[in-house]
Amino acid sequence: MTSDSTAFLRTAGREFVDQSGTPVRLRGVAVGGWLNMENFITGYSGNESLMRGTVREVLGEEKYELFFERLLTAFFDEDDAKLLAGMGMNCVRLPVNYRHFEDDARPFVFKEEGFRHLDRVIEACARHGIYSVIDLHALPGSQNHHWHSDNPTHRPAFFDHPHFQDRVVAIWERIAEHYKDNPWVAGYNPINEPADESRKVVGPFYTRLVEAIRAIDDRHILFLDGNTYSTEFDVFDAEWDNTVYVCHDYAAPGMGNGGDYPGVTDGKYYDTAALEAKYLQRTEYSRRTGTPIWVGEFAPIYTGDERRDAMRRQVLADQLDIYRGDGASWSSWMYKDLGRQGVAMVRPDSPYMKRFGDFVAKKNRLGADNWGSDGNGIIEVTKPFQEMIAREFPDFDPYPWGRFDWVRTLILNLTVAQPLAYEYAELFRGLDDDELIALADSFALRNCDIRTTLVEQLRAG
């Protein structure tokens, strides 16, 4: 979709500006769980490709296609774009799994139909004056250690194999060719949260990827995540024009194991000053290079306990005050889910939650999801194992987040979560077409509740 009256956004010093040079402060949300599905968002277990494979086995190809086509259509449509525009949002970040564009069995064979839903939503948002940022959230081989890169293991193979890197360059060349003339695309976020332990591959690969994209499209902004989940920026070999170095700014007291706020989390005291100090640390590279600040992900996780959630809302209020005072642009994580973090939430009495509510409760009890969990699950099982590893390997501090996360990932988010994926799939067995459509339509905005406190906070931010 193009429009002669719509300017391409670009960077000018620390600001985003339109074609007339008028500053534009980007404020928006990420549509996570849609073209890159995540377990805590839509209620399955494990990683997306495992979930899709097990559901396909149960439903068969025809019903599988019916359900997922309907789900992708219902998850975000014109009503969603209208809601976001009414909130004052002017940007959406659209996470995408590479599997929409390419199959592992046929590498380098690009699937043009992968653009269908992406085009539809970009156009819907454009009709409401909302820009889009295209985010490749899951890369071939997985670029980080966790579920959100569709990683079935705990190791990012992307950095070990040039084959995977070649495929990503080819994918981005096709994306750039497709959108190079679309001014409603604010830009490209080529790699979400890379985690290159060697710190030797990601920088040179970024240089290669930027040059490949720029050879096709030199008008769109590039939003580049730093290494180690967008927290380290010393890996960049060069600075490029019309480029943003993306900060992710999750606050510890807003996470699954967060304590009181103000108060202590993981042995450290957090208040507004501590949040601002961490923000300044994470945005130091942007300041040094004189480029715009875009907080590509942030926001607390809600618990259902009003006392704790009131503190989570205060965390968000303080973060938004910091960003507003600094003139920073931002994209909140995230828009729609089962109630853990989203603006829109699937209702408890929906067909989907009636069928999968007990399953979701079981995986929460077992701690099978990483995001929003305290990492313990059934603590009488996990605590002795954590203590044994700490006792036997006191100096073990694995990349990226240390021993506790490494152990909980292997025990809970893989060993427990992967068998649960088959249990989730079995809940589809025997459903007819109308029942599958009703499940998918549970995610349509008309069937969701709205977290009004979050709407008001983001509108004011």
Side-chain angles (χ1 to χ4, degrees), residues 36-336:
N36 186 73
M37 294 187 175
E38 298 194 36
N39 46 41
F40 75 96
I41 298 176
T42 52
Y44 67 88
S45 180
N47 60 301
E48 180 179 358
S49 57
L50 174 63
M51 178 272 290
R52 281 179 171 267
T54 55
V55 173
R56 181 187 277 112
E57 278 291 314
V58 168
L59 285 180
E61 193 66 29
E62 185 175 337
K63 288 188 174 184
Y64 167 87
E65 292 292 345
L66 170 69
F67 173 74
F68 282 98
E69 175 65 18
R70 186 77 174 209
L71 177 60
L72 295 183
T73 302
F75 197 97
F76 196 100
D77 64 14
E78 197 84 24
D79 289 343
D80 298 278
K82 183 178 180 180
L83 172 66
L84 291 176
M87 292 169 53
M89 303 295 97
N90 62 1
C91 186
V92 294
R93 180 172 177 244
L94 301 175
V96 184
N97 192 315
Y98 79 95
R99 297 177 193 276
H100 287 281
F101 298 124
E102 187 191 81
D103 292 324
D104 287 338
R106 302 183 70 197
F108 302 104
V109 177
F110 194 86
K111 300 191 291 187
E112 294 294 336
E113 65 271 20
F115 285 121
R116 189 164 46 85
H117 283 290
L118 197 56
D119 285 348
R120 176 179 62 80
V121 166
I122 289 171
E123 291 174 9
C125 289
R127 285 191 289 272
H128 294 273
I130 298 173
Y131 291 99
S132 297
V133 174
I134 300 168
D135 152 39
L136 197 60
H137 215 79
L139 277 58
S142 300
Q143 76 279 7
N144 60 47
H145 304 67
H146 290 101
W147 80 99
H148 48 85
S149 62
D150 199 9
N151 194 337
T153 74
H154 69 299
R155 299 293 301 167
F158 173 80
F159 298 103
D160 297 331
H161 299 283
H163 166 81
F164 294 138
Q165 298 157 31
D166 293 345
R167 287 165 61 183
V168 169
V169 171
I171 288 170
W172 269 110
E173 287 173 335
R174 297 298 285 271
I175 295 173
E177 182 65 38
H178 188 81
Y179 291 111
K180 66 181 180 181
D181 296 321
N182 191 331
W184 284 108
V185 174
Y188 309 135
N189 190 182
I191 310 175
N192 176 69
E193 296 189 335
D196 172 18
E197 184 170 4
S198 75
R199 296 175 172 82
K200 296 177 181 178
V201 179
V202 65
F205 180 73
Y206 261 132
T207 298
R208 177 188 174 194
L209 187 56
V210 168
E211 290 174 353
I213 293 172
R214 287 288 191 237
I216 295 167
D217 178 357
D218 62 359
R219 289 192 288 183
H220 281 105
I221 300 166
L222 295 179
F223 295 82
L224 304 186
D225 283 21
N227 194 37
T228 311
Y229 297 70
S230 209
T231 64
E232 299 173 353
F233 298 89
D234 58 352
V235 297
F236 290 111
D237 292 340
E239 296 172 19
W240 298 281
D241 292 336
N242 208 27
T243 298
V244 176
Y245 301 96
V246 179
C247 156
H248 288 187
D249 191 32
Y250 289 109
M255 297 296 93
N257 63 341
D260 285 356
Y261 180 82
V264 176
T265 295
D266 289 336
K268 180 177 178 179
Y269 183 81
Y270 286 90
D271 57 8
T272 305
L275 297 189
E276 184 168 20
K278 180 59 72 172
Y279 165 78
L280 292 173
Q281 175 191 332
R282 289 168 170 168
T283 58
E284 186 276 333
Y285 190 80
S286 296
R287 298 171 192 284
R288 177 153 41 94
T289 54
T291 51
I293 292 173
W294 188 60
V295 183
E297 291 185 18
F298 73 106
I301 296 167
Y302 302 97
T303 67
D305 177 280
E306 178 52 30
R307 188 190 79 85
R308 296 181 68 192
D309 285 353
M311 291 187 284
R312 301 295 169 98
R313 291 193 292 272
Q314 189 59 52
V315 169
L316 179 61
D318 289 349
Q319 287 188 294
L320 289 171
D321 282 346
I322 292 166
Y323 304 160
R324 187 168 47 244
D326 198 34
S329 293
W330 48 259
S331 178
S332 171
W333 187 266
M334 40 160 258
Y335 172 55
K336 184 183 285 184

Side-chain angles (χ1 to χ4, degrees), residues 304 337-340 344-361 438-439 441-444 446-451:
D337 65 359
L338 299 183
R340 187 160 289 176
M345 304 171 288
V346 175
R347 291 181 185 137
D349 63 351
S350 66
Y352 188 88
M353 288 307 294
K354 285 181 177 178
R355 186 151 194 95
F356 293 99
D358 288 346
F359 173 83
V360 171
L439 293 179
D441 283 355
S442 299
F443 288 86
R446 66 183 181 275
N447 297 322
C448 290
D449 291 328
I450 303 299
R451 195 186 302 272

